[in-house]
Amino acid sequence: MQQYWLMKSEPDECSIDDALAAPDATVPWTGVRNYQARNFMRDVMRVGDGVLFYHSSCPQPGIAGVARVASGTRPDPTQFDPGSPYFDPKSSPEKPRWLLLDVQALQKTRLIGLPELRAAPELADLQILQRGNRLSITPVSEDHWRFITEQLMR
DNA sequence: GCCAACGTTGGC
DNA sequence: GCCAACGTTGGC
């Protein structure tokens, strides 16, 4: 059964435009360093799942596009690279700790900012809107997915 | 730059 | 296993 996700990306690192410009509009989702998010990728996310592409840590945070999960997981190579900000000295190629999967951008949408998301009563319990939310990958219910893609993105 | 919230670390 | 200290996230 298909599921839905919201994935945060800093547009300075990889914006929806960057993803669309990549070969096949597909980018490896590097840099996840949180166990819960990793476990979502490894245990729950499946090829074909829907993804809300969210821009975070930027002047206008919000949903910027739609994407899909395009692969299963494999080790994130940046964890082995001492020059990478995502380097993890406790990880090794023999026992990789961090995984990534491919995300394929499908379309750029108008930016749906946080104020607009918060203004919709239908989205009151969207995880990204909850207090103290920090997780970079969160599940999105089918109702929320439909509301956002059908009502907000028009 | 501030700071609330939360995850991780490490001593005990 | 507890928990204080510390680091990170991310909106503002």
Side-chain angles (χ1 to χ4, degrees), chain A residues 87-145:
Chain A
F87 178 63
D88 183 349
K90 293 182 192 158
S91 191
S92 71
E94 295 73 32
K95 282 198 79 173
R97 176 178 297 199
W98 304 112
L99 303 171
L100 58 72
L101 46 67
D102 290 326
V103 172
Q104 181 177 35
L106 297 176
Q107 59 169 322
K108 180 179 183 173
T109 65
R110 73 181 180 84
L111 191 108
I112 305 171
L114 280 177
E116 183 173 359
L117 294 171
R118 291 192 197 283
E122 293 87 347
L123 301 179
D125 51 358
L126 186 68
Q127 204 165 329
I128 191 85
L129 301 180
Q130 304 314 305
R131 199 164 64 92
N133 155 77
R134 283 177 20 181
L135 202 53
S136 66
I137 300 176
T138 47
V140 173
S141 74
E142 189 172 356
D143 285 348
H144 288 158
W145 172 269

